[in-house]
Amino acid sequence: MIVVAKQFRRIGWFLATHLFTGFLTFLAMYGVANIGLVLPVTPFEMLLLYSWILTLFILPIQAGIQIWSLLRFEPTPFLLVYYFQYDTTTNLPHRFLDPVESRIGLITIILLLIGGIVAWPIYSFYGAFLLLVRFGPLLFTLEFVILFIQGLAVGVAALFATYFILASLAILILQWRRKRL
């Protein structure tokens, strides 16, 4: 009975981490992809461009780590809080995210510390705001799903989608290669 309860808790934690991080990554990517809809982007908005670039770099890392964790059937680390959960004297549970042992970990911690920890939640909030404003009460219907898929097919630039997919796959390949060595 206790073993079954532990398995349900483990499955629940697995699903919760993947759904939560996937949802926040999706909202942030939606906000990043649609930045020009509400806010006009001009060359003088360097702070907006800086946060956009940070978010654009950190989200594929999170997506790649999430896909890797999904393939291994383990809970996904959420990068916004991952490095702040552990003491500096202890080893991190995921070696590929350790900044001392891995370049991915080093790049991730640098991106988070130079502003990604603030930019990512801002773009997630912005993406949620855009979804609510654009679709309102349709958000929780089947019609929304159809409209959204059509909008993704037409509205998202192929170059942007290709970047996100290739960057996420690069993280997967680097982790797989590191795991084999």
mmCIF file with all atom_site columns, all heavy atoms in Angstrom, residues 5 12 25 42 76-77 99 123 132 144 146 180:
data_model
loop_
_atom_site.group_PDB
_atom_site.id
_atom_site.type_symbol
_atom_site.label_atom_id
_atom_site.label_alt_id
_atom_site.label_comp_id
_atom_site.label_asym_id
_atom_site.label_entity_id
_atom_site.label_seq_id
_atom_site.pdbx_PDB_ins_code
_atom_site.Cartn_x
_atom_site.Cartn_y
_atom_site.Cartn_z
_atom_site.occupancy
_atom_site.B_iso_or_equiv
_atom_site.pdbx_formal_charge
_atom_site.auth_seq_id
_atom_site.auth_comp_id
_atom_site.auth_asym_id
_atom_site.auth_atom_id
_atom_site.pdbx_PDB_model_num
ATOM 1  N N   . ALA A 1 5   ? 1.305   4.235  -2.920  1.00 0.00 ? 5   ALA A N   1
ATOM 2  C CA  . ALA A 1 5   ? 1.176   5.668  -2.624  1.00 0.00 ? 5   ALA A CA  1
ATOM 3  C C   . ALA A 1 5   ? 2.417   6.428  -3.094  1.00 0.00 ? 5   ALA A C   1
ATOM 4  O O   . ALA A 1 5   ? 2.302   7.532  -3.637  1.00 0.00 ? 5   ALA A O   1
ATOM 5  C CB  . ALA A 1 5   ? 0.951   5.879  -1.134  1.00 0.00 ? 5   ALA A CB  1
ATOM 6  N N   . GLY A 1 12  ? 2.512   11.802 -9.905  1.00 0.00 ? 12  GLY A N   1
ATOM 7  C CA  . GLY A 1 12  ? 1.911   13.135 -9.765  1.00 0.00 ? 12  GLY A CA  1
ATOM 8  C C   . GLY A 1 12  ? 2.949   14.242 -9.852  1.00 0.00 ? 12  GLY A C   1
ATOM 9  O O   . GLY A 1 12  ? 2.728   15.263 -10.514 1.00 0.00 ? 12  GLY A O   1
ATOM 10 N N   . THR A 1 25  ? 6.803   27.780 -20.256 1.00 0.00 ? 25  THR A N   1
ATOM 11 C CA  . THR A 1 25  ? 7.636   27.907 -21.454 1.00 0.00 ? 25  THR A CA  1
ATOM 12 C C   . THR A 1 25  ? 6.780   28.291 -22.654 1.00 0.00 ? 25  THR A C   1
ATOM 13 O O   . THR A 1 25  ? 7.150   29.158 -23.445 1.00 0.00 ? 25  THR A O   1
ATOM 14 C CB  . THR A 1 25  ? 8.391   26.597 -21.727 1.00 0.00 ? 25  THR A CB  1
ATOM 15 O OG1 . THR A 1 25  ? 9.178   26.261 -20.586 1.00 0.00 ? 25  THR A OG1 1
ATOM 16 C CG2 . THR A 1 25  ? 9.278   26.710 -22.947 1.00 0.00 ? 25  THR A CG2 1
ATOM 17 N N   . THR A 1 42  ? 11.016  49.490 -31.261 1.00 0.00 ? 42  THR A N   1
ATOM 18 C CA  . THR A 1 42  ? 11.830  50.499 -31.930 1.00 0.00 ? 42  THR A CA  1
ATOM 19 C C   . THR A 1 42  ? 13.288  50.276 -31.544 1.00 0.00 ? 42  THR A C   1
ATOM 20 O O   . THR A 1 42  ? 13.578  49.601 -30.548 1.00 0.00 ? 42  THR A O   1
ATOM 21 C CB  . THR A 1 42  ? 11.390  51.920 -31.510 1.00 0.00 ? 42  THR A CB  1
ATOM 22 O OG1 . THR A 1 42  ? 11.624  52.071 -30.107 1.00 0.00 ? 42  THR A OG1 1
ATOM 23 C CG2 . THR A 1 42  ? 9.920   52.152 -31.829 1.00 0.00 ? 42  THR A CG2 1
ATOM 24 N N   . THR A 1 76  ? 11.054  17.185 -14.350 1.00 0.00 ? 76  THR A N   1
ATOM 25 C CA  . THR A 1 76  ? 11.940  18.130 -15.028 1.00 0.00 ? 76  THR A CA  1
ATOM 26 C C   . THR A 1 76  ? 12.394  19.221 -14.064 1.00 0.00 ? 76  THR A C   1
ATOM 27 O O   . THR A 1 76  ? 11.615  19.708 -13.256 1.00 0.00 ? 76  THR A O   1
ATOM 28 C CB  . THR A 1 76  ? 11.240  18.747 -16.247 1.00 0.00 ? 76  THR A CB  1
ATOM 29 O OG1 . THR A 1 76  ? 12.177  19.539 -16.951 1.00 0.00 ? 76  THR A OG1 1
ATOM 30 C CG2 . THR A 1 76  ? 10.071  19.597 -15.878 1.00 0.00 ? 76  THR A CG2 1
ATOM 31 N N   . PRO A 1 77  ? 13.655  19.591 -14.125 1.00 0.00 ? 77  PRO A N   1
ATOM 32 C CA  . PRO A 1 77  ? 14.104  20.732 -13.320 1.00 0.00 ? 77  PRO A CA  1
ATOM 33 C C   . PRO A 1 77  ? 13.576  22.032 -13.922 1.00 0.00 ? 77  PRO A C   1
ATOM 34 O O   . PRO A 1 77  ? 13.597  22.207 -15.137 1.00 0.00 ? 77  PRO A O   1
ATOM 35 C CB  . PRO A 1 77  ? 15.631  20.667 -13.403 1.00 0.00 ? 77  PRO A CB  1
ATOM 36 C CG  . PRO A 1 77  ? 15.973  19.648 -14.416 1.00 0.00 ? 77  PRO A CG  1
ATOM 37 C CD  . PRO A 1 77  ? 14.748  18.919 -14.801 1.00 0.00 ? 77  PRO A CD  1
ATOM 38 N N   . PRO A 1 99  ? 27.213  24.046 -13.246 1.00 0.00 ? 99  PRO A N   1
ATOM 39 C CA  . PRO A 1 99  ? 28.065  24.989 -13.992 1.00 0.00 ? 99  PRO A CA  1
ATOM 40 C C   . PRO A 1 99  ? 29.552  24.663 -13.932 1.00 0.00 ? 99  PRO A C   1
ATOM 41 O O   . PRO A 1 99  ? 30.317  25.117 -14.773 1.00 0.00 ? 99  PRO A O   1
ATOM 42 C CB  . PRO A 1 99  ? 27.769  26.339 -13.334 1.00 0.00 ? 99  PRO A CB  1
ATOM 43 C CG  . PRO A 1 99  ? 27.032  26.059 -12.103 1.00 0.00 ? 99  PRO A CG  1
ATOM 44 C CD  . PRO A 1 99  ? 26.493  24.679 -12.164 1.00 0.00 ? 99  PRO A CD  1
ATOM 45 N N   . TYR A 1 123 ? 7.833   37.665 -19.720 1.00 0.00 ? 123 TYR A N   1
ATOM 46 C CA  . TYR A 1 123 ? 7.306   37.207 -21.006 1.00 0.00 ? 123 TYR A CA  1
ATOM 47 C C   . TYR A 1 123 ? 6.216   36.152 -20.834 1.00 0.00 ? 123 TYR A C   1
ATOM 48 O O   . TYR A 1 123 ? 5.320   36.058 -21.665 1.00 0.00 ? 123 TYR A O   1
ATOM 49 C CB  . TYR A 1 123 ? 8.424   36.714 -21.917 1.00 0.00 ? 123 TYR A CB  1
ATOM 50 C CG  . TYR A 1 123 ? 9.104   37.863 -22.612 1.00 0.00 ? 123 TYR A CG  1
ATOM 51 C CD1 . TYR A 1 123 ? 10.311  38.360 -22.173 1.00 0.00 ? 123 TYR A CD1 1
ATOM 52 C CD2 . TYR A 1 123 ? 8.499   38.476 -23.694 1.00 0.00 ? 123 TYR A CD2 1
ATOM 53 C CE1 . TYR A 1 123 ? 10.920  39.427 -22.798 1.00 0.00 ? 123 TYR A CE1 1
ATOM 54 C CE2 . TYR A 1 123 ? 9.091   39.548 -24.330 1.00 0.00 ? 123 TYR A CE2 1
ATOM 55 C CZ  . TYR A 1 123 ? 10.306  40.025 -23.875 1.00 0.00 ? 123 TYR A CZ  1
ATOM 56 O OH  . TYR A 1 123 ? 10.892  41.092 -24.495 1.00 0.00 ? 123 TYR A OH  1
ATOM 57 N N   . LEU A 1 132 ? -5.317  36.035 -23.219 1.00 0.00 ? 132 LEU A N   1
ATOM 58 C CA  . LEU A 1 132 ? -6.592  36.460 -22.630 1.00 0.00 ? 132 LEU A CA  1
ATOM 59 C C   . LEU A 1 132 ? -7.226  37.596 -23.423 1.00 0.00 ? 132 LEU A C   1
ATOM 60 O O   . LEU A 1 132 ? -8.440  37.615 -23.640 1.00 0.00 ? 132 LEU A O   1
ATOM 61 C CB  . LEU A 1 132 ? -6.393  36.881 -21.175 1.00 0.00 ? 132 LEU A CB  1
ATOM 62 C CG  . LEU A 1 132 ? -6.165  35.741 -20.193 1.00 0.00 ? 132 LEU A CG  1
ATOM 63 C CD1 . LEU A 1 132 ? -5.808  36.284 -18.819 1.00 0.00 ? 132 LEU A CD1 1
ATOM 64 C CD2 . LEU A 1 132 ? -7.383  34.849 -20.119 1.00 0.00 ? 132 LEU A CD2 1
ATOM 65 N N   . PHE A 1 144 ? -11.197 27.455 -29.793 1.00 0.00 ? 144 PHE A N   1
ATOM 66 C CA  . PHE A 1 144 ? -9.921  28.108 -29.531 1.00 0.00 ? 144 PHE A CA  1
ATOM 67 C C   . PHE A 1 144 ? -8.765  27.245 -30.008 1.00 0.00 ? 144 PHE A C   1
ATOM 68 O O   . PHE A 1 144 ? -7.811  27.743 -30.610 1.00 0.00 ? 144 PHE A O   1
ATOM 69 C CB  . PHE A 1 144 ? -9.757  28.409 -28.036 1.00 0.00 ? 144 PHE A CB  1
ATOM 70 C CG  . PHE A 1 144 ? -8.352  28.745 -27.663 1.00 0.00 ? 144 PHE A CG  1
ATOM 71 C CD1 . PHE A 1 144 ? -7.805  29.962 -28.002 1.00 0.00 ? 144 PHE A CD1 1
ATOM 72 C CD2 . PHE A 1 144 ? -7.545  27.824 -27.000 1.00 0.00 ? 144 PHE A CD2 1
ATOM 73 C CE1 . PHE A 1 144 ? -6.493  30.283 -27.669 1.00 0.00 ? 144 PHE A CE1 1
ATOM 74 C CE2 . PHE A 1 144 ? -6.248  28.128 -26.670 1.00 0.00 ? 144 PHE A CE2 1
ATOM 75 C CZ  . PHE A 1 144 ? -5.728  29.356 -27.003 1.00 0.00 ? 144 PHE A CZ  1
ATOM 76 N N   . ILE A 1 146 ? -8.686  25.061 -32.373 1.00 0.00 ? 146 ILE A N   1
ATOM 77 C CA  . ILE A 1 146 ? -8.625  25.103 -33.835 1.00 0.00 ? 146 ILE A CA  1
ATOM 78 C C   . ILE A 1 146 ? -8.065  26.441 -34.313 1.00 0.00 ? 146 ILE A C   1
ATOM 79 O O   . ILE A 1 146 ? -7.174  26.487 -35.161 1.00 0.00 ? 146 ILE A O   1
ATOM 80 C CB  . ILE A 1 146 ? -10.018 24.823 -34.433 1.00 0.00 ? 146 ILE A CB  1
ATOM 81 C CG1 . ILE A 1 146 ? -10.429 23.388 -34.114 1.00 0.00 ? 146 ILE A CG1 1
ATOM 82 C CG2 . ILE A 1 146 ? -10.028 25.064 -35.940 1.00 0.00 ? 146 ILE A CG2 1
ATOM 83 C CD1 . ILE A 1 146 ? -11.872 23.077 -34.382 1.00 0.00 ? 146 ILE A CD1 1
ATOM 84 N N   . ARG A 1 180 ? 26.871  9.698  -22.522 1.00 0.00 ? 180 ARG A N   1
ATOM 85 C CA  . ARG A 1 180 ? 27.618  8.555  -23.041 1.00 0.00 ? 180 ARG A CA  1
ATOM 86 C C   . ARG A 1 180 ? 29.093  8.619  -22.670 1.00 0.00 ? 180 ARG A C   1
ATOM 87 O O   . ARG A 1 180 ? 29.755  7.597  -22.631 1.00 0.00 ? 180 ARG A O   1
ATOM 88 C CB  . ARG A 1 180 ? 27.478  8.499  -24.554 1.00 0.00 ? 180 ARG A CB  1
ATOM 89 C CG  . ARG A 1 180 ? 26.059  8.121  -24.963 1.00 0.00 ? 180 ARG A CG  1
ATOM 90 C CD  . ARG A 1 180 ? 25.952  7.864  -26.399 1.00 0.00 ? 180 ARG A CD  1
ATOM 91 N NE  . ARG A 1 180 ? 26.788  6.695  -26.732 1.00 0.00 ? 180 ARG A NE  1
ATOM 92 C CZ  . ARG A 1 180 ? 27.213  6.439  -27.935 1.00 0.00 ? 180 ARG A CZ  1
ATOM 93 N NH1 . ARG A 1 180 ? 26.906  7.221  -28.934 1.00 0.00 ? 180 ARG A NH1 1
ATOM 94 N NH2 . ARG A 1 180 ? 27.940  5.375  -28.180 1.00 0.00 ? 180 ARG A NH2 1
#
